Amino acid sequence: MSIFPKISLRPEVENYLKEGFMNKEIVTALGKQEAERKFETLLKHLSHPPSFTTVRVNTHLASVQHVKNLLLDELQKQFNGLSVPILQHPDLQDVLLIPVIGPRKNIKKQQCEAIVGAQCGNAVLRGAHVYAPGIVSASKFMKAGDVISVYSDIKGKCKKGAREFDGTKVFLGNGISELSRKEIFNGLPELKGMGIRMTEPVYLSPSFDNVLPRYLFLQNLPSALVTHVLNPQPGEKILDLCAAPGGKTTHIAALMHDQGEVIALDKIFSKVEKIKQNALLLGLNSIRAFCFDGTKAVKLDMVEDTEGEPPFLPESFDRILLDAPCSGMGQRPNMACTWSLKELASYQPLQRKLFTAAVQLLKPEGVLVYSTCTITLAENEEQVAWALTKFPCLQLQPQEPQIGGEGMRGAGLSCEQLKQLQRFDPSAVPLPDTDMDSLREARREDMLHLANKDSIGFFIAKFVKCKST
């Protein structure tokens, strides 16, 4: 059920999205009323968390069953003895699914309040505690040890250090303050520790802060699916063109049994360091990460040898993953997005530059997987239509496993082509109302169906290169 307002967008952005989701092809197929209903449902669902927390097991270091047993013990501790099931995904054997309990409606709101920023609020709805930097405002009498109600400032209007806030705020649940108001806002260098330990969140999800860090990677279901669609094989040379924070990079290496070469590129140094740290933590030696702009990854000068570092010679890679920078409009929960229309439209040209580099770097008969965590037609199906016209050497391929729905109409792709895509649509199923009783009665197949459908918004396309460019 819907308990939060729909995602708050600038009017021109909402209109732009509406035009995409009510394009001529969709309205012809569904009718105007149904197309509009689906769009409004999508906006509501984006502000709510998915109904499952998804973790990927690092199979390089441990078996899925062993990690599942460790995780069951951890959940018992976190949930004070509540027995929450953990499901192994039947099509993605290294993925575990934990149902989210909520929305919980009988939480008593406290007089003492704390306001957190929107990003912090989104994290709380997915199981995080509140860290001190995320606290924007707190009641003037708040002391360490107080039970306090936590609210999200979804429109970013609350002033740092305010004693009260009457603007738009959304209740996230109750917690126990680890710090007093004075300690949080004392003007000294910013605190980094935990500020509020959430004890009664509206949506109950496990916290994965330092939980089994060598064995688990917190990842949305479609993000874990992408690497299986890429299907890397031991001994291959594989490029992750926009790799940070390294979830998919480390997944590629694990599926290859750490045999072969995985090159990870990102143009932000701190993110590249994070990829290296993750590879080290997970015990993966086949990964080499470089701080490099993916749009410039093709070596045009054949004379100079860079000894395995970027840029690379054309046709150097067996498989390439382009998990492209995107508007991120599929992320959940997201109660407010401040993007301008100009910012939203800026991603399509960048994605095309990266795609062009990927095609040049791919060997003949190589596989290229393109993915985004957004819902726009321009960044997804329109990019596929562009690519098939621009690069006659590319052929769209069926995907395995097929978990998402087919692509969205509106970019001129055929029905057959749309069936070869995977689009995860957050409006595909009604928002669930999950409590312990409904979990006990739920059938496994119904839970798996819900996990597959009620995810973040995401898009995947798979191509094979037929001949040299």
Side-chain angles (χ1 to χ4, degrees):
M1 63 170 292
S2 172
I3 62 161
F4 302 137
K6 73 179 187 181
I7 183 173
S8 171
L9 302 166
R10 290 189 182 188
E12 71 268 23
V13 169
E14 186 166 334
N15 289 337
Y16 168 78
L17 288 175
K18 190 170 185 176
E19 282 170 18
F21 279 83
M22 294 190 66
N23 67 66
K24 196 174 175 183
E25 284 185 58
I26 288 177
V27 170
T28 302
L30 300 181
K32 188 178 177 185
Q33 202 172 348
E34 176 60 12
E36 191 157 12
R37 186 200 65 78
K38 272 184 73 70
F39 177 66
E40 287 300 322
T41 301
L42 172 68
L43 297 185
K44 276 185 195 162
H45 288 202
L46 285 173
S47 64
H48 294 70
S51 53
F52 283 78
T53 299
T54 310
V55 291
R56 176 174 59 78
V57 176
N58 177 20
T59 51
H60 180 60
L61 290 185
S63 72
V64 175
Q65 190 57 52
H66 175 63
V67 175
K68 185 178 176 183
N69 291 339
L70 293 174
L71 193 51
L72 278 167
D73 290 343
E74 174 64 28
L75 292 194
Q76 285 268 317
K77 285 181 213 157
Q78 285 196 30
F79 293 166
N80 298 320
L82 277 183
S83 187
V84 175
I86 299 175
L87 306 178
Q88 183 176 4
H89 198 288
D91 300 316
L92 309 171
Q93 294 285 306
D94 53 359
V95 167
L96 297 175
L97 303 163
I98 304 152
V100 173
I101 296 166
R104 303 194 295 170
K105 301 173 207 69
N106 299 321
I107 300 171
K108 186 183 174 188
K109 293 178 183 176
Q110 304 295 308
Q111 196 177 354
C112 192
E113 294 182 0
I115 309 291
V116 301
Q119 269 191 308
C120 177
N122 293 342
V124 168
L125 290 172
R126 299 215 59 178
H129 296 292
V130 177
Y131 285 79
I135 301 172
V136 182
S137 152
S139 296
K140 60 184 175 184
F141 45 82
M142 187 177 96
K143 303 185 301 296
D146 284 352
V147 177
I148 56 172
S149 287
V150 179
Y151 295 82
S152 178
D153 170 24
I154 61 171
K155 296 195 174 175
K157 301 289 187 188
C158 183
K159 286 192 171 70
K160 186 85 172 176
R163 286 179 167 78
E164 53 186 43
F165 176 60
D166 294 325
T168 306
K169 60 186 181 184
V170 172
F171 180 59
L172 304 175
N174 294 336
I176 295 172
S177 176
E178 301 276 314
L179 301 163
S180 69
R181 174 191 161 80
K182 189 176 178 183
E183 287 170 309
I184 296 168
F185 302 115
N186 65 3
L188 293 173
E190 202 169 69
L191 293 168
K192 288 189 176 158
M194 191 179 293
I196 302 162
R197 186 176 298 278
M198 296 301 295
T199 51
E200 288 184 290
V202 169
Y203 281 94
L204 182 62
S205 300
S207 166
F208 281 93
D209 185 28
N210 213 28
V211 172
L212 305 173
R214 300 193 73 217
Y215 294 153
L216 289 179
F217 207 100
L218 195 56
Q219 212 166 17
N220 287 299
L221 180 68
S223 300
L225 169 63
V226 166
T227 314
H228 286 279
V229 170
L230 185 68
N231 194 25
Q233 300 298 310
E236 290 182 332
K237 187 175 181 180
I238 297 184
L239 175 63
D240 189 350
L241 196 54
C242 303
K248 298 178 185 72
T249 310
T250 54
H251 197 188
I252 290 167
L255 290 182
M256 293 166 70
H257 310 296
D258 208 24
Q259 296 166 23
E261 192 177 2
V262 184
I263 302 292
L265 302 185
D266 203 274
K267 64 180 187 178
I268 298 171
F269 178 78
S270 60
K271 291 185 175 182
V272 174
E273 290 304 297
K274 184 71 178 167
I275 296 167
K276 290 177 180 176
Q277 286 167 18
N278 279 328
L280 194 64
L281 180 68
L282 301 173
L284 297 163
N285 300 311
S286 58
I287 295 168
R288 296 170 68 216
F290 299 98
C291 185
F292 202 84
D293 182 348
T295 64
K296 297 170 183 170
V298 185
K299 187 190 284 190
L300 302 172
D301 177 6
M302 299 291 185
V303 180
E304 190 185 340
D305 185 15
T306 49
E307 293 186 4
E309 296 188 3
F312 303 103
L313 290 172
E315 302 188 347
S316 291
F317 294 92
D318 298 293
R319 295 173 202 261
I320 297 177
L321 173 61
L322 174 51
D323 186 47
C326 70
S327 58
M329 292 294 300
Q331 291 292 359
R332 296 172 64 195
N334 186 3
M335 293 191 202
C337 178
T338 57
W339 289 113
S340 68
L341 191 52
K342 187 179 177 183
E343 286 169 313
L344 198 65
S346 69
Y347 285 96
Q348 193 189 61
L350 172 60
Q351 290 159 354
R352 290 185 178 183
K353 283 181 188 173
L354 288 161
F355 199 101
T356 301
V359 174
Q360 290 175 299
L361 290 167
L362 190 64
K363 291 178 183 177
E365 298 183 13
V367 170
L368 167 58
V369 170
Y370 173 83
S371 63
T372 75
C373 59
T374 195
I375 55 173
T376 70
L377 196 65
E379 296 172 79
N380 295 328
E381 289 83 358
E382 280 184 16
Q383 298 293 52
V384 172
W386 166 81
L388 292 173
T389 304
K390 176 86 173 170
F391 305 104
C393 60
L394 291 184
Q395 278 187 357
L396 206 52
Q397 293 289 293
Q399 298 179 37
E400 189 61 41
Q402 182 86 27
I403 292 171
E406 62 183 44
M408 190 165 88
R409 296 176 177 93
L413 297 170
S414 69
C415 288
E416 198 54 47
Q417 287 169 327
L418 292 175
K419 283 176 185 164
Q420 292 179 311
L421 305 173
Q422 294 200 67
R423 176 181 268 264
F424 287 81
D425 172 11
S427 70
V429 288
L431 289 173
D433 197 345
T434 305
D435 57 24
M436 289 307 297
D437 290 338
S438 66
L439 272 185
R440 276 189 283 270
E441 293 164 10
R443 296 187 315 158
R444 177 182 161 83
E445 53 266 40
D446 291 339
M447 290 171 79
L448 289 168
H449 174 77
L450 183 60
N452 288 341
K453 298 296 179 190
D454 187 25
S455 75
I456 64 166
F458 206 88
F459 178 83
I460 311 171
K462 180 179 182 180
F463 304 87
V464 70
K465 186 174 181 178
C466 300
K467 57 181 184 289
S468 289
T469 46

